[in-house]
Amino acid sequence: MLRAQLDGAICVGVTVLTGAPIRDAVRVSRAVKAARPDLPIVWGGWHPSMFGTECLAEPSVDITVQAQGEATFLELVERLERGDSLAGCLGCTYRDAGGTIQVNEARPLADINTFRAHDYTLIPVERFYALKRKPQLDYIGSQGCRFRCAFCADPFVYKRGWVGLAPERVGQEIETWWRRYHFTDVNFQDETFFTHAPRVVAIAEEFIRRRLPITWAATMRADQCVRLTDDALRACKQSGLRRVLVGVESGAPEMLKRIAKDITVEQVLVTAERCRDLGIRVQFPFIVGFPGEDEESVAASLGLAKRLRAMSPEFETHFFYFKPYPGSAITQDAVDSGYALPRSLEEWADFDFIGSAGPWVTVEKFRRVERFKFYQRLAWDRVPMWKRPVQALARWRCRNDAYGFAVEKFVAERLRTVPAMS
């Protein structure tokens, strides 16, 4: 099917995420090159943003685009159409006619209001409803992040820059796509949706003014919630805000400082109280397994998770393991201490963000965290009456950190169903 689309093409662009998607990107790129050796292959996305030069070790890839790619991709397509050199095209890396890799200067972060709207008709929107188990639209209204978390690659890629769409445009686009696709929920996939409070309130007011019969979810930092006024948070709730994702990362104050999260445990708890009182669901992600993290730090994270779960059955706490991704300060420290990152595309294709523990997680720590993850859900999720005795046992286990002989977990894993997506 892809080969049928190559006639008249100027180039082929491939978005590449680190991990298993690399295999698909390589397979597609090689297939295109086999059919059209003359057609330039352009890789963009997170992995080429981090490894612009290294990706060109794959012979089928000719050009990589770094960071915000809209303006860069447009310019390089125009240059390719004219047959011009890519010298001076900001934000890309390429192999020149002589086979030498050329690294151009970075392109400054542009105002995304100057870009055309995304065309959702290019993807089968309704097919995703079945996968999500709800008619939900994913939407991105901003790019970048102004914060400096030491475990994240955002500061490396976006240089702590942030740009957002105007509230009027967000309201107009959401209404346009709602009239076409009739979704009931919008999931904002912004890195930090609540970065600029007046803009967030204005977006909420757009939804209210347009009488959009939708709910919505977004990302929020604990310090951002603490700074929001009561009127602002109520406006968000009135407009349909149903859930926020608040990254906690650690329950240990010293670890929060080490990873430059720039929030406090107290701010997390205040955020939880404010959201609970307004009936806003919250997902609180944690990260364990940082290099050198001791048992006290892990225990503090489990302890804070238990406090949050006990506050409301509408709260969720998710635990992930630190994975050393380039561009983050903690990863660089690990590399300086002798840790070896994957070197080839094949090795990066095996890089697993979710399904395994990180290199600094012992078998005992992994077992403890995995069992806690199971029991904290059973202990505080809403359950039918017949599960109440098992729930009481799960709460006892969590209170006492007693996770041995986890027969309930063994049985549940045999009967597990796939959870609904957020």
Side-chain angles (χ1 to χ4, degrees):
M1 186 175 70
L2 176 62
R3 291 186 178 92
Q5 307 298 320
L6 299 182
D7 291 342
I10 297 171
C11 65
V12 172
V14 184
T15 297
V16 187
L17 299 175
T18 303
I22 290 175
R23 292 193 185 91
D24 292 332
V26 170
R27 180 173 56 85
V28 168
S29 300
R30 290 177 179 175
V32 171
K33 277 297 183 184
R36 286 281 305 276
D38 61 309
L39 198 60
I41 306 293
V42 185
W43 277 17
W46 275 101
H47 198 77
S49 290
M50 305 297 301
F51 300 101
T53 298
E54 291 82 351
C55 287
L56 294 177
E58 165 57 39
S60 65
V61 181
D62 303 292
I63 307 163
T64 61
V65 173
Q66 285 69 62
Q68 187 187 60
E70 288 87 341
T72 300
F73 188 64
L74 174 61
E75 181 179 340
L76 69 85
V77 167
E78 292 173 341
R79 287 181 179 231
L80 292 173
E81 185 178 30
R82 295 193 302 265
D84 293 346
S85 166
L86 295 182
C89 180
L90 302 180
C92 71
T93 302
Y94 65 100
R95 193 184 301 105
D96 65 20
T100 302
I101 293 178
Q102 304 291 341
V103 181
N104 289 344
E105 293 184 13
R107 185 179 295 269
L109 193 64
D111 179 2
I112 57 177
N113 289 285
T114 64
F115 298 153
R116 293 176 56 185
H118 294 114
D119 186 356
Y120 281 80
T121 65
L122 297 174
I123 59 175
V125 171
E126 291 94 339
R127 285 178 57 187
F128 289 97
Y129 294 173
L131 296 172
K132 289 171 167 285
R133 300 184 182 180
K134 65 167 65 174
Q136 181 188 68
L137 184 79
D138 288 303
Y139 182 91
I140 299 175
S142 66
Q143 291 181 0
C145 178
R146 288 179 177 163
F147 300 92
R148 62 186 186 114
C149 301
F151 56 87
C152 183
D154 259 298
F156 177 87
V157 174
Y158 288 106
K159 312 303 179 188
R160 298 183 68 182
W162 179 91
V163 285
L165 291 176
E168 297 80 4
R169 176 166 169 176
V170 174
Q172 184 273 322
E173 288 186 6
I174 295 295
E175 180 177 4
T176 297
W177 296 123
W178 173 78
R179 293 186 181 281
R180 182 182 181 99
Y181 294 114
H182 308 293
F183 47 83
T184 60
D185 187 74
V186 175
N187 197 14
F188 284 96
Q189 296 288 354
D190 305 42
E191 297 285 347
T192 49
F193 180 84
F194 278 80
T195 291
H196 187 54
R199 172 180 173 273
V200 173
V201 173
I203 290 173
E205 291 172 345
E206 282 287 319
F207 290 172
I208 295 170
R209 181 177 67 82
R210 296 170 185 271
R211 298 180 180 177
L212 291 175
I214 60 171
T215 56
W216 57 280
T219 51
M220 172 193 281
R221 286 173 52 93
D223 55 328
Q224 292 170 341
C225 184
V226 169
R227 291 193 295 269
L228 275 180
T229 65
D230 290 340
D231 288 343
L233 198 54
R234 278 194 294 266
C236 291
K237 174 64 178 179
Q238 182 185 353
S239 72
L241 177 61
R242 64 172 178 87
R243 191 267 293 159
V244 290
L245 186 150
V246 179
V248 180
E249 323 314 350
S250 177
E254 60 276 10
M255 181 58 73
L256 288 174
K257 293 178 181 177
R258 179 185 168 196
I259 65 178
K261 183 65 182 179
D262 294 335
I263 63 169
T264 65
V265 171
E266 291 71 24
Q267 288 173 332
V268 172
L269 294 171
V270 169
T271 296
E273 291 171 355
R274 298 187 73 192
C275 290
R276 178 198 60 195
D277 292 347
L278 283 177
I280 299 171
R281 296 177 58 193
V282 189
Q283 292 178 345
F284 295 100
F286 287 79
I287 301 174
V288 296
F290 290 108
E293 183 177 26
D294 58 27
E295 290 302 319
E296 289 74 17
S297 177
V298 175
S301 292
L302 300 185
L304 179 56
K306 286 186 277 189
R307 290 184 67 183
L308 293 169
R309 286 305 318 264
M311 291 176 69
S312 170
E314 300 300 330
F315 291 172
E316 301 174 52
T317 55
H318 302 284
F319 278 77
F320 303 93
Y321 300 96
F322 173 72
K323 303 295 177 62
Y325 194 65
S328 68
I330 292 181
T331 295
Q332 188 57 53
D333 289 343
V335 170
D336 292 342
S337 298
Y339 178 78
L341 289 168
R343 296 180 180 275
S344 66
L345 285 175
E346 290 76 14
E347 291 177 352
W348 277 115
D350 292 329
F351 191 78
D352 186 359
F353 285 100
I354 303 297
S356 64
W360 297 279
V361 178
T362 63
V363 173
E364 293 77 13
K365 184 179 293 185
F366 180 75
R367 183 184 296 115
R368 178 186 183 188
V369 173
E370 288 301 301
R371 290 183 176 182
F372 172 78
K373 287 163 62 175
F374 169 79
Y375 284 112
Q376 60 92 19
R377 287 192 299 269
L378 182 57
W380 286 288
D381 283 356
R382 286 194 171 94
V383 298
M385 187 67 68
W386 64 270
K387 269 191 177 182
R388 295 290 173 80
V390 182
Q391 185 175 63
L393 175 59
R395 290 188 179 181
W396 178 87
R397 283 184 177 272
C398 288
R399 281 196 303 270
N400 295 279
D401 289 323
Y403 308 121
F405 193 56
V407 63
E408 308 96 323
K409 184 174 185 293
F410 176 82
V411 172
E413 286 176 345
R414 296 299 180 273
L415 303 174
R416 177 175 294 171
T417 57
V418 178
M421 300 177 73
S422 175

